[in-house]
Amino acid sequence: MPTSRRDLLKFTALAAAAGAFPALAASSVARAERPLRILILGGTGFTGPFQVDYALARGHRVTLFNRGKRPTPGWPGAVEQVHGDRNTGDLAALDGREWDVCIDNPTTLPFWVRDAGAALRGRVGHYVFISTISVYADGSRPGIGEDAPLAAYTGADPLAETMDTFRADMAGLYGPLKAASEAEARRQFGDAVTVVRPGYIVGPRDDTGRFTYWPLRVAEGGEVLVPGDGRDPVQFIDGRDLGEWVIRLAEARTSGTFNAVGPARRMDTDTFLAGIRAATGGDARFTHVPAEFLAAREVRFGADLPIWFPQDHEYGGYGQVDNRRAIAAGLTFRPLATTVTDLLEWHRALPAERQAEQRAGLSREREAELLREWHARDGAAAT
């Protein structure tokens, strides 16, 4: 769902250097009926640690494969770590090993999936690929289902794309290469594939600052600029809900394709912000400013005002993606208040210089300027 190179750089930035969040208490999670051998490609970024924590609490054995470049969170149990580099084709650490399931978190380049297939085919029973709703060809359509047309790759060969070619056109290639990676997963692993397509992933460990902008801004109080009339829908998923559900999909050997977006029911902008205000307290007052007014002043929807698009935007469908198939497959959602409270607790434990760094959203000066212009023009009142 990134809309520019800058947004995509934020989208792909992971949270390993930003601090961890307390692991699950194993006693609070029921043990799985059968322990699995789980291979996680990646595992130290944003959602990977949540997968690891939950898998350990459920009694599974976990192996992580990555480059070993990021600090490792303190796991609540034994985790095997093996190293290699998918970008150079170095998967030797996987040779001769078998696992019940492989969870592929970080892949954007299809050749990474091809190489994983060569290394693991016949020696892993189930392959879970974490994709994105950015694979859809038309992000404007409400009610996007899993069978909607996908973004087409228009280059010569998706398997020939490298990190260098991807970085040269990240906004144009992200969705098509994810879609091509999904197709490659099915070529390599057949029917034993699960494709999970999240939208905005939020909560503790989210280092992008997008969702975080709203709790921090509302907690600060005062007059808050609210884009649109408050009726545009928003969707997101707590990284813990995503990570834990992926483990449950693996336990059940559930195959297929699923939109991993929440909440369970439609949430409009006003309900979203009122829920944040209830969770954070304070005296925030909300002023609705029309999208047309903001667009005329070059406000970037989804970036300057993150987690939000007007319904008539080219990405307006990102707040209205159909999640019924995922819910039927067991996806559940924490309350908004829990996500907000835990996110702020995590954020406030970061170093002071990191807390002061705003990575998404309007600056306070720009927000105040826009509000002054809006009041001078139309006399809108904060509510």
Side-chain angles (χ1 to χ4, degrees), residues 97-102 120-127 189:
R97 303 285 303 276
E98 293 187 358
W99 289 272
D100 297 299
V101 60
C102 171
L120 297 170
R121 196 183 311 109
R123 294 188 290 105
V124 66
H126 182 197
Y127 185 83
F189 298 97

Side-chain angles (χ1 to χ4, degrees), residues 53-79:
D53 286 348
Y54 190 72
L56 292 174
R58 293 282 282 169
H60 302 305
R61 288 176 286 169
V62 177
T63 301
L64 303 186
F65 174 88
N66 51 51
R67 294 182 299 165
K69 301 292 187 181
R70 292 192 176 97
T72 303
W75 306 119
V79 175

Side-chain angles (χ1 to χ4, degrees), residues 45-136:
F46 180 5
T47 60
F50 298 135
Q51 295 168 354
V52 174
D53 286 348
Y54 190 72
L56 292 174
R58 293 282 282 169
H60 302 305
R61 288 176 286 169
V62 177
T63 301
L64 303 186
F65 174 88
N66 51 51
R67 294 182 299 165
K69 301 292 187 181
R70 292 192 176 97
T72 303
W75 306 119
V79 175
E80 179 189 21
Q81 299 193 69
V82 296
H83 300 310
D85 190 339
R86 300 173 75 184
N87 209 40
T88 64
D90 176 14
L91 282 76
L94 305 180
D95 288 350
R97 303 285 303 276
E98 293 187 358
W99 289 272
D100 297 299
V101 60
C102 171
I103 300 170
D104 190 345
N105 284 318
T107 291
T108 294
L109 297 175
F111 88 82
W112 286 13
V113 183
R114 178 200 63 197
D115 291 353
L120 297 170
R121 196 183 311 109
R123 294 188 290 105
V124 66
H126 182 197
Y127 185 83
V128 182
F129 181 76
I130 309 303
S131 187
T132 169
I133 61 171
S134 291
V135 297
Y136 293 114

Side-chain angles (χ1 to χ4, degrees), residues 184-371:
E184 186 63 26
R186 295 188 180 95
R187 276 192 290 271
Q188 296 295 330
F189 298 97
D191 294 334
V193 169
T194 303
V195 172
V196 176
R197 295 172 179 162
Y200 287 108
I201 307 172
V202 308
R205 294 185 57 86
D206 175 13
D207 208 31
T208 69
R210 295 171 306 184
F211 182 94
T212 312
Y213 169 79
W214 293 109
L216 288 176
R217 180 63 193 90
V218 172
E220 184 178 311
E223 185 179 12
V224 178
L225 187 154
V226 178
D229 61 7
R231 292 179 291 183
D232 297 313
V234 294
Q235 285 183 313
F236 47 86
I237 184 168
D238 190 301
R240 296 165 294 181
D241 292 330
L242 176 63
E244 293 168 15
W245 180 59
V246 165
I247 298 301
R248 296 196 297 273
L249 289 175
E251 292 171 351
R253 290 290 296 271
T254 303
S255 60
T257 302
F258 302 93
N259 290 329
V261 295
R265 298 174 183 82
R266 188 183 193 276
M267 178 180 287
D268 63 26
T269 311
D270 276 354
T271 303
F272 171 64
L273 291 174
I276 292 175
R277 181 168 58 186
T280 59
D283 66 348
R285 307 181 310 281
F286 301 134
T287 295
H288 296 103
V289 179
E292 297 80 5
F293 179 91
L294 297 169
R297 286 151 182 81
E298 299 184 346
V299 173
R300 299 168 302 151
F301 304 145
D304 295 325
L305 294 166
I307 317 292
W308 176 88
F309 293 100
Q311 293 181 67
D312 60 356
H313 190 273
E314 64 175 319
Y315 297 113
Y318 285 173
Q320 308 172 74
V321 175
D322 187 345
N323 61 5
R324 289 175 295 177
R325 186 184 294 182
I327 292 172
L331 178 59
T332 58
F333 308 100
R334 283 166 170 76
L336 173 63
T338 300
T339 297
V340 169
T341 301
D342 291 350
L343 170 63
L344 291 178
E345 178 185 344
W346 168 81
H347 186 269
R348 288 164 180 159
L350 295 175
E353 61 273 17
R354 173 62 188 86
Q355 290 187 54
E357 181 184 355
Q358 183 176 335
R359 297 189 173 183
L362 294 168
S363 68
R364 299 298 182 266
E365 295 77 15
R366 178 64 170 143
E367 179 193 30
E369 176 188 355
L370 290 165
L371 287 169

Side-chain angles (χ1 to χ4, degrees), residues 25-50:
S27 61
S28 69
V29 177
R31 305 285 279 190
E33 293 183 5
R34 180 175 70 91
L36 300 176
R37 299 163 299 169
I38 300 176
L39 170 66
I40 299 179
L41 306 181
T44 58
F46 180 5
T47 60
F50 298 135

